[in-house]
Amino acid sequence: MNWFTNLLSSSIGKKVLMALTGLFLILFLVIHLIGNWQLLKHDGGRAFNIYAEFMSMNALIQVISKGNFFFIILHACVGLWLTVKNRAARGAVGYVKHGSASPWTSRNMGILGFIILVFLVVHIKDFYANMHYTDMTKVTYDEASYRDIYTTVAFWFSKAWYVGLYVFCMAGLGFHLWHGFSSAFQTLGVNHIKYNGAIRFVGRAFAIIIPALFAYIPLYMFYVSQQQ
């Protein structure tokens, strides 16, 4: 096990760890987006409340959920360590000399990651914590009781400042993914002239489409709330 410990304690090991946790979180984004789109059904929140209750009561999903929180924290901590180390290594002179040669997203992954982390703290406080640790109003569908998380979501997404914050953070997520998606594959050695272009195309499409679809949800719900 010494080789494994040495690997994780090295810069290369930490980059591999960043890549693996990043790819896991990319998969989570797709699953989370599919669930969140239940919010757009014109059923008074029925589909989303049933979905949210299932996700919170299923033991396997809860294990995955806790693991996801762990990977988010691990990804953030390792990313912070690498950012500080890289900035210290290249120094101010090196940054000025070589900084313009690398993409803006590559040079600012730490800042983009911090924006996402702030968003996650707010998001968890207003939705996850509210659902699990408060006495939430219940609704009944087919004689079964469900927590009415939809009403909480609709409340926050009726506020312009909150929707603006959400959209801004999704933009930060998009820029983060713009570099991080293809970088993860490169770190893991999936780097060949035959498929680099395809990975880059998929990564950039993912970085645009997924955050845009996430941002669409609060924008649409805000629009609907203003029409009522």
Side-chain angles (χ1 to χ4, degrees):
M1 290 297 293
N2 285 337
W3 68 269
F4 184 72
T5 304
N6 292 335
L7 176 65
L8 292 183
S9 63
S10 67
S11 295
I12 294 176
K14 287 183 173 62
K15 289 179 180 179
V16 170
L17 192 59
M18 280 290 288
L20 291 174
T21 54
L23 290 175
F24 174 85
L25 295 174
I26 283 172
L27 177 61
F28 167 76
L29 283 175
V30 175
I31 297 172
H32 192 50
L33 177 62
I34 293 172
N36 279 10
W37 267 66
Q38 306 302 313
L39 288 163
L40 301 182
K41 292 187 176 181
H42 296 281
D43 59 359
R46 177 187 177 113
F48 182 75
N49 285 335
I50 293 175
Y51 153 78
E53 191 74 18
F54 170 76
M55 295 293 285
S56 66
M57 298 302 293
N58 185 282
L60 176 60
I61 292 175
Q62 281 304 296
V63 170
I64 296 174
S65 177
K66 299 300 186 296
N68 183 62
F69 287 140
F70 171 76
F71 284 131
I72 288 173
I73 295 171
L74 183 62
H75 190 81
C77 290
V78 175
L80 177 62
W81 185 90
L82 288 172
T83 298
V84 173
K85 186 175 184 299
N86 289 340
R87 288 185 180 276
R90 68 192 178 195
V93 175
Y95 182 81
V96 172
K97 183 177 180 180
H98 302 292
S100 59
S102 58
W104 180 88
T105 52
S106 175
R107 301 195 308 270
N108 293 279
M109 287 295 281
I111 295 173
L112 295 169
F114 179 75
I115 292 172
I116 297 168
L117 186 61
V118 170
F119 166 76
L120 287 173
V121 171
V122 174
H123 191 66
I124 289 171
K125 177 186 74 68
D126 291 335
F127 299 122
Y128 183 88
N130 196 14
M131 180 177 181
H132 288 82
Y133 304 114
T134 63
D135 294 326
M136 184 169 286
T137 302
K138 299 291 185 68
V139 289
T140 301
Y141 308 123
D142 300 326
E143 300 182 355
S145 182
Y146 299 88
R147 284 168 289 191
D148 189 14
I149 184 66
Y150 175 84
T151 297
T152 300
V153 175
F155 169 77
W156 286 111
F157 286 171
S158 67
K159 297 183 178 297
W161 70 268
Y162 196 94
V163 172
L165 174 64
Y166 194 104
V167 173
F168 172 76
C169 291
M170 288 304 101
L173 174 63
F175 283 117
H176 194 74
L177 290 169
W178 186 268
H179 172 73
F181 190 101
S182 57
S183 177
F185 285 96
Q186 184 175 4
T187 298
L188 296 175
V190 185
N191 188 29
H192 194 279
I193 191 172
K194 289 184 178 180
Y195 37 75
N196 280 350
I199 292 175
R200 189 178 302 110
F201 174 80
V202 172
R204 291 182 174 180
F206 189 94
I208 294 171
I209 295 171
I210 297 301
L213 291 177
F214 268 111
Y216 175 78
I217 297 171
L219 287 171
Y220 177 78
M221 293 184 70
F222 176 76
Y223 170 78
V224 170
S225 71
Q226 298 307 299
Q227 304 305 306
Q228 296 175 349

